[in-house]
Amino acid sequence: MPHRIHKTMGQQSGRRSWAEPWKIKMVEPIKMIDHPAREKALDAAGYNTFLLRSEDVYIDLLTDSGTNAMSDRQWAGMMLGDEAYAGSRNFYHMEEAVQKYYGYKHMVPTHQGRGAEHLISQALIKPGDIIPGNMYFTTTRLHQELAGGTFVDVIVDEAHDPASLHPFKGNIDLGKLEALIERVGAGKIPYVSLAGTVNMAGGQPVSMANVKDLRVLCDRYGIRLYLDATRMAENSFFIQEREDGYQQTPIAAILKEFCSYTDGAWMSAKKDNLVNIGGWLAMNHQDLYEKASNLVVVYEGLHTYGGMAGRDMEAVAIGIEESVQDDHMRARIGQVRYLGELLTDWGIPIVEPVGGHAIFLDARRIYPHVAQDAFPAQTLAAQLYLDSGIRSMERGVVSAGRDPETGDHRYPKLELVRLTIPRRVYTQAHMDVVAESVKAVYDDRHNVKGLRMVYEPAYLRFFQARFAPIG
Ligand SMILES: Cc1ncc(COP(=O)(O)O)c(C=O)c1O
């Protein structure tokens, strides 16, 4: 038998290999459960991957939220928690980190992102208001609606096309926004809700040119501009890579420049900021700061802890600094891209270009024979779990929920399954296992009929809805 010469991943692509800028100091064992046990677990979970027990999961790609591996510096910081009720020194570290890296004047901590969404929505939105933004996010839109507002999507059309290779599919369509402002009047728009990157569009970025133009437009009409900065460090990587004039600019500087065109931001620190829990709301305007730091006392805790322990605020402060390092971000997005490239090479439809935090499988193109009423993406996530114990998440008609006016399903153009990659957690070998399982499910696509919903909760139904197989 001829001797086979093995090749490293880099060599297979005709380049030198790269590796993560860290080594592993502690491990958490995981195990795979067999097919009959996976069938039982999925049935018990009502075919909803959110309802699976984590110990029944082999590789957990449900979310990148709070699933990050913290560094030794962050764990050491946890030991320096100042658990004072008021004025904890960790609060001041976190405030300094937000000021230094995001550039905003004031910061109010919250227990996680939706705590900050709640505060900004209650502080600024009046019943009947309109909030334009670059595609909805589930919790963001719900808080805007609960405050009496209506979210209006003004993202570029390319964002709704999973095959479009536009480099900044997260951009706001300024024409659509201006037409909306002219139609409803600037007085009805408390702020523009800009997210970088755009989660529901596949982790797609917003360009620096777009936020600059947006600032000019908002100023012309006297409208504020607030940012969902949850994955803004990842967004900054794409600007460095794709936008003219930024190739030599460090991610930290790009992040700060981008934020400088906005009036403030809300943050789920559980993503970019590399922690397991936490969030914040930051702003330049004194009036919003006063309202938010008063409201936070009602809903989260005193304005110097906002529902977080001192140790958790310390971990956020250190995580912010680590998250903007170019090496970290190259490895983070490089790993997501590695998985995406395997799948596209094998002809499996995914959202392109690959975004920052996840691979989004295009369930519409994988199961063209399954109607949207039979929940193709929910079905695909269930099939993937059955095949290998890999947990993913539906981002389609179930996540979109119902129209509060008509009560009908909202039918989003995108019907996706998200394979979300936690930061600093899995290896390249895990990505290979994931890719092979997706391929096995794809090859079996003709044998799948879809699901029906058998239980639907009132709010954010994707978290708790239950399903059963059709036929
Ligand atoms: C873009 C975006 N905004 C806001 C949130 C809400 O944050 P949290 O889950 O910390 O409440 C998330 C969480 O997934 C998110 O992805």
Side-chain angles (χ1 to χ4, degrees), residues 251-412:
I251 284 172
I254 295 173
L255 174 67
K256 201 154 178 188
E257 182 187 339
F258 194 102
C259 292
S260 74
Y261 302 117
T262 67
D263 295 305
W266 64 92
M267 180 75 188
S268 170
K270 300 168 72 176
K271 283 78 166 180
D272 263 0
N273 290 175
L274 295 166
V275 291
N276 304 123
I277 192 72
W280 45 265
L281 177 65
M283 66 293 278
N284 293 329
H285 287 117
Q286 185 68 22
D287 65 332
L288 176 60
Y289 173 61
E290 278 168 19
K291 276 191 193 162
S293 58
N294 190 210
L295 277 176
V296 78
V297 181
V298 182
Y299 296 109
E300 308 269 326
L302 192 68
H303 60 283
T304 54
Y305 76 87
M308 295 179 74
R311 55 182 172 270
D312 293 325
M313 292 191 281
E314 192 61 31
V316 173
I318 299 168
I320 288 176
E321 191 191 336
E322 293 181 358
S323 73
V324 299
Q325 304 306 317
D326 286 27
D327 283 354
H328 157 70
M329 202 48 87
R330 250 196 306 275
R332 173 353 175 224
I333 294 185
Q335 185 178 47
V336 176
R337 236 171 231 181
Y338 171 73
L339 176 59
E341 281 166 6
L342 285 178
L343 298 178
T344 38
D345 283 356
W346 300 346
I348 297 167
I350 64 170
V351 174
E352 290 185 86
V354 169
H357 64 301
I359 299 301
F360 288 73
L361 305 174
D362 188 349
R364 251 184 212 280
R365 279 187 288 162
I366 294 174
Y367 294 148
H369 57 289
V370 176
Q372 215 169 358
D373 281 332
F375 311 114
Q378 191 76 31
T379 308
L380 183 57
Q383 290 300 116
L384 194 60
Y385 175 75
L386 274 183
D387 180 71
S388 59
I390 291 168
R391 170 152 71 170
S392 58
M393 180 197 292
E394 193 263 8
R395 278 302 182 221
V397 65
V398 183
S399 295
R402 291 185 185 273
D403 186 315
E405 300 274 295
T406 65
D408 292 340
H409 289 311
R410 287 167 162 140
Y411 290 100

Side-chain angles (χ1 to χ4, degrees), residues 210-261:
N210 192 245
V211 74
K212 278 188 199 172
D213 290 346
L214 194 54
R215 177 79 259 171
V216 172
L217 185 69
C218 286
D219 282 347
R220 184 138 44 86
Y221 287 96
I223 298 173
R224 292 184 183 188
L225 175 55
Y226 284 103
L227 175 67
D228 181 341
T230 296
R231 296 186 185 80
M232 195 53 227
E234 291 176 1
N235 195 111
S236 302
F237 168 89
F238 290 109
I239 291 175
Q240 187 188 59
E241 181 182 65
R242 298 179 185 164
E243 199 158 352
D244 280 351
Y246 286 96
Q247 274 73 45
Q248 306 308 323
T249 314
I251 284 172
I254 295 173
L255 174 67
K256 201 154 178 188
E257 182 187 339
F258 194 102
C259 292
S260 74
Y261 302 117

Side-chain angles (χ1 to χ4, degrees), residues 35 348 366-367 369-370 379-380 383-384 386-387 436-449:
H35 196 274
I348 297 167
I366 294 174
Y367 294 148
H369 57 289
V370 176
T379 308
L380 183 57
Q383 290 300 116
L384 194 60
L386 274 183
D387 180 71
E436 288 174 20
S437 178
V438 172
K439 170 93 168 67
V441 168
Y442 179 69
D443 290 344
D444 186 48
R445 61 196 179 279
H446 302 298
N447 296 319
V448 165
K449 297 201 175 75

Side-chain angles (χ1 to χ4, degrees), residues 68-86:
N68 303 303
M70 292 206 294
S71 68
D72 51 358
R73 289 177 66 237
Q74 286 176 292
W75 279 108
M78 299 277 286
M79 295 306 291
L80 302 177
D82 170 5
E83 307 305 343
Y85 188 89

Side-chain angles (χ1 to χ4, degrees), residues 15 125 165 196 403 418:
R15 56 169 169 79
I125 299 172
L165 292 176
D403 186 315
R418 193 178 82 178

Side-chain angles (χ1 to χ4, degrees), residues 93-278:
H93 289 170
M94 183 172 157
E95 183 183 52
E96 275 164 30
V98 171
Q99 288 167 339
K100 178 169 174 194
Y101 291 101
Y102 291 85
Y104 302 116
K105 275 196 199 131
H106 310 288
M107 188 277 297
V108 178
T110 59
H111 76 285
Q112 60 180 80
R114 70 200 69 183
E117 290 170 342
H118 180 212
L119 298 183
I120 190 171
S121 304
Q122 292 297 325
L124 297 183
I125 299 172
K126 297 184 303 307
D129 278 353
I130 304 290
I131 304 94
N134 51 347
M135 200 174 271
Y136 84 99
F137 182 71
T138 52
T139 55
T140 319
R141 181 177 64 190
L142 181 61
H143 280 295
Q144 291 164 350
E145 288 174 352
L146 290 172
T150 303
F151 176 83
V152 178
D153 187 9
V154 289
I155 202 166
V156 293
D157 287 342
E158 286 84 349
H160 296 282
D161 174 2
S164 159
L165 292 176
H166 190 296
F168 290 104
K169 282 164 91 170
N171 279 355
I172 284 198
D173 182 325
L174 297 167
K176 280 187 200 170
L177 176 59
E178 190 158 14
L180 178 72
I181 301 171
E182 289 293 333
R183 185 155 52 80
V184 302
K188 280 248 174 253
I189 301 181
Y191 60 96
V192 171
S193 174
L194 176 70
T197 58
V198 181
N199 192 348
M200 304 300 278
Q204 301 296 327
V206 179
S207 70
M208 192 72 85
N210 192 245
V211 74
K212 278 188 199 172
D213 290 346
L214 194 54
R215 177 79 259 171
V216 172
L217 185 69
C218 286
D219 282 347
R220 184 138 44 86
Y221 287 96
I223 298 173
R224 292 184 183 188
L225 175 55
Y226 284 103
L227 175 67
D228 181 341
T230 296
R231 296 186 185 80
M232 195 53 227
E234 291 176 1
N235 195 111
S236 302
F237 168 89
F238 290 109
I239 291 175
Q240 187 188 59
E241 181 182 65
R242 298 179 185 164
E243 199 158 352
D244 280 351
Y246 286 96
Q247 274 73 45
Q248 306 308 323
T249 314
I251 284 172
I254 295 173
L255 174 67
K256 201 154 178 188
E257 182 187 339
F258 194 102
C259 292
S260 74
Y261 302 117
T262 67
D263 295 305
W266 64 92
M267 180 75 188
S268 170
K270 300 168 72 176
K271 283 78 166 180
D272 263 0
N273 290 175
L274 295 166
V275 291
N276 304 123
I277 192 72

